[in-house]
Amino acid sequence: AGLSPVERDRKASLLPPVRDSRKLSRVIAVAVARQAIKEGLSDLKESEVEAAVDANVWEPVYRRYEREG
């Protein structure tokens, strides 16, 4: 909820712009991992969380498309 634009401006959109989705997904993943550690559901150490999230982020790589014919 803290990432919602409406938190900063009551007239703003409830949801953040789609262009920010990768950045926000990382913030959320880090928060979820830290909560899992607190609840004893993860073997990660607090100092490993951000690196673990970064290591598991899907990076879209698109091959160049060339039309045949």
Side-chain angles (χ1 to χ4, degrees):
L3 300 173
S4 174
V6 82
E7 287 288 314
R8 294 178 298 283
D9 178 2
R10 295 182 59 82
K11 294 181 181 180
S13 174
L14 177 62
L15 299 175
V18 172
R19 70 177 173 269
D20 294 341
S21 62
R22 290 181 62 78
K23 176 177 68 173
L24 298 174
S25 295
R26 183 183 185 278
V27 171
I28 293 166
V30 167
V32 169
R34 287 187 173 140
Q35 187 62 37
I37 291 168
K38 286 179 187 174
E39 294 180 18
L41 301 172
S42 175
D43 295 330
L44 282 177
K45 296 177 184 155
E46 181 68 31
S47 62
E48 301 171 329
V49 169
E50 293 196 26
V53 168
D54 290 342
N56 287 286
V57 171
W58 174 71
E59 293 291 337
V61 177
Y62 300 100
R63 294 183 177 163
R64 183 171 173 84
Y65 174 77
E66 294 183 27
R67 179 173 268 168
E68 293 185 21

